[in-house]
Amino acid sequence: MKRLLLLSFVAVSFFACSKDDKKEEPPVDYTNPTVLSSALKVQYGVSVKGAMPVGTGATGAPVLNVANNNRVTVAVNGRYAVITPELSSGKFKGYYLKVTGAESYFKVDFSQARDGGRKAAHATHSLLRQDGEDSVIVIKLPEDAKLDTFKIEYAVYDSSNVVSNVIKELIAVLPPAGGADGAGFVGNWQTYRYKDAGEPEWTMAIGADTSWTPLKCINGKLVYSQDGTPYATNISNVLSDEGTFNANGVLTWESKETYSYLDEIESGCANLKYVVTNYDDKFRGGWSYNAARKELTLIYDEDGQVNGDNFEVIVYHILEFTPTRVLISSPDGYQTELAKK
């Protein structure tokens, strides 16, 4: 009995000590450049201890555009910061990148296979219409980082390992969804209408757009003729183009469209045959709104689950913003009006 009591006392003492000894892990100090660098993931990047190679201004060395020095790049916390090196002269094979003040740097080789940016299969008039960039610097930010801004510096190198000048850049990290400023975006939206830069007329997003071609029936077949009868030869019918801005910064969007064209070879004069293709483009990514700059940033990255190849970042400028509608302009001047559902 005494032995059992002794064992019970030891067990109670052990658990009591274990509970008292348990301490909360201190938060990660991402303001430390070396700590932050170790938490970043750079696509195709290998971390190397030591000082980053820099150029010597040798003849024939690649030269980066100095106008981009101290440029600000916007990123959403927990997602990607994307930087496009801009050459003034020369060619490059890869780049070196480091967080300013860190004890290591990343080396990336662009000659490795890349799938290119995320591109919708067919969407042409929605938030899915923009294409991604190739040969970009892709930095995945840590999920739990309490970041505001941090500095990086990078240089490119060519096939002979000759290094360019160094460009410094500031990464401004936005909170997902943009906090209180982004509350007005939260909810379900649909594309209402659109127009190209400089165009006075709007086009409704939902509905059919038909192209007509003058054709004549000759020997039982349809052939082109300027004085022929107009036939519907191409029909693009957008069925839906809508999505949801979630309060946690997740954005989902889907565009459904049917495209038909007249098969003039297989068609008879009285028996028209159309080839029909159905498109269903969708993505899941992140979003953030900066009220001060009137910018809506969209990150097409399948909610951070992609490997870095299949993503895209686009910053839209907000032209008008009400509780029920928002008018945005893409980098190429293309305007889209969204309506809240």
Side-chain angles (χ1 to χ4, degrees), residues 18-30:
S18 298
K19 184 176 181 180
D20 293 339
D21 291 343
K22 186 177 181 181
K23 297 179 180 179
E24 292 185 4
E25 291 291 331
V28 179
D29 182 14
Y30 288 117

Side-chain angles (χ1 to χ4, degrees), residues 71-88:
R71 181 176 58 179
V72 177
T73 289
V74 176
V76 176
N77 196 19
R79 295 184 182 276
Y80 295 99
V82 182
I83 301 162
T84 305
E86 184 179 337
L87 282 175
S88 294

Side-chain angles (χ1 to χ4, degrees), residues 125-138:
H125 303 302
S126 75
L127 297 183
L128 290 163
R129 61 178 291 273
Q130 290 288 131
D131 293 342
E133 297 282 351
D134 293 325
S135 299
V136 292
I137 297 173
V138 183

Side-chain angles (χ1 to χ4, degrees), residues 15-318:
F15 284 111
C17 291
S18 298
K19 184 176 181 180
D20 293 339
D21 291 343
K22 186 177 181 181
K23 297 179 180 179
E24 292 185 4
E25 291 291 331
V28 179
D29 182 14
Y30 288 117
T31 61
N32 183 315
T34 298
V35 173
L36 175 59
S37 181
S38 64
L40 297 179
K41 296 179 181 178
V42 178
Q43 180 65 12
Y44 296 121
V46 177
S47 181
V48 182
K49 191 79 172 180
M52 185 181 82
V54 295
T56 60
T59 302
V63 179
L64 287 168
N65 188 352
V66 295
N68 292 331
N69 206 28
N70 296 316
R71 181 176 58 179
V72 177
T73 289
V74 176
V76 176
N77 196 19
R79 295 184 182 276
Y80 295 99
V82 182
I83 301 162
T84 305
E86 184 179 337
L87 282 175
S88 294
S89 63
K91 297 181 179 181
F92 68 96
K93 177 184 177 182
Y95 65 84
Y96 300 112
L97 175 141
K98 71 173 293 183
V99 176
T100 300
E103 297 175 352
S104 60
Y105 65 94
F106 294 93
K107 180 180 181 180
V108 172
D109 185 352
F110 271 141
S111 65
Q112 297 187 47
R114 296 175 66 89
D115 293 333
R118 180 215 62 81
K119 184 177 181 181
H122 193 71
T124 55
H125 303 302
S126 75
L127 297 183
L128 290 163
R129 61 178 291 273
Q130 290 288 131
D131 293 342
E133 297 282 351
D134 293 325
S135 299
V136 292
I137 297 173
V138 183
I139 307 171
K140 178 68 167 62
L141 306 181
E143 298 287 346
D144 58 346
K146 298 296 187 290
L147 290 170
D148 181 11
T149 57
F150 65 94
K151 294 181 180 180
I152 64 164
E153 47 198 79
Y154 64 91
V156 299
Y157 62 90
D158 62 17
S159 57
S160 299
N161 292 321
V162 178
V163 184
S164 74
N165 54 314
V166 174
I167 296 294
K168 297 181 179 180
E169 192 145 344
L170 186 69
I171 307 297
V173 184
L174 304 177
D181 289 336
F185 277 99
V186 175
N188 300 320
W189 295 79
Q190 64 180 350
T191 303
Y192 176 60
R193 58 181 183 171
Y194 60 87
K195 67 176 180 178
D196 283 314
E199 289 291 330
E201 300 296 329
W202 289 90
T203 300
M204 303 306 293
I206 307 301
D209 183 13
T210 303
S211 297
W212 301 83
T213 303
L215 302 174
K216 270 188 177 181
C217 182
I218 300 177
N219 297 326
K221 291 292 182 181
L222 293 172
V223 295
Y224 174 78
S225 176
Q226 288 187 345
D227 59 350
T229 302
Y231 283 78
T233 49
N234 294 276
I235 305 171
S236 178
N237 188 17
V238 178
L239 305 176
S240 65
D241 189 51
E242 58 192 34
T244 302
F245 289 80
N246 292 283
N248 62 355
V250 173
L251 170 65
T252 58
W253 203 268
E254 183 173 14
S255 179
K256 293 183 178 181
E257 183 176 352
T258 297
Y259 175 73
S260 308
Y261 71 88
L262 179 64
D263 188 333
E264 297 176 25
I265 296 177
E266 296 296 327
S267 293
C269 297
N271 183 25
L272 302 182
K273 291 188 177 180
Y274 286 86
V275 178
V276 180
T277 305
N278 296 313
Y279 296 95
D280 187 358
D281 299 314
K282 62 184 66 176
F283 74 82
R284 181 180 175 88
W287 69 279
S288 186
Y289 174 58
N290 187 308
R293 292 195 292 265
K294 294 185 177 180
E295 291 178 346
L296 175 65
T297 301
L298 304 184
I299 315 290
Y300 303 155
D301 64 354
E302 290 304 312
D303 202 18
Q305 300 304 309
V306 298
N307 62 9
D309 291 325
N310 192 31
F311 78 95
E312 180 185 347
V313 178
I314 297 179
V315 179
Y316 289 96
H317 182 65
I318 305 298

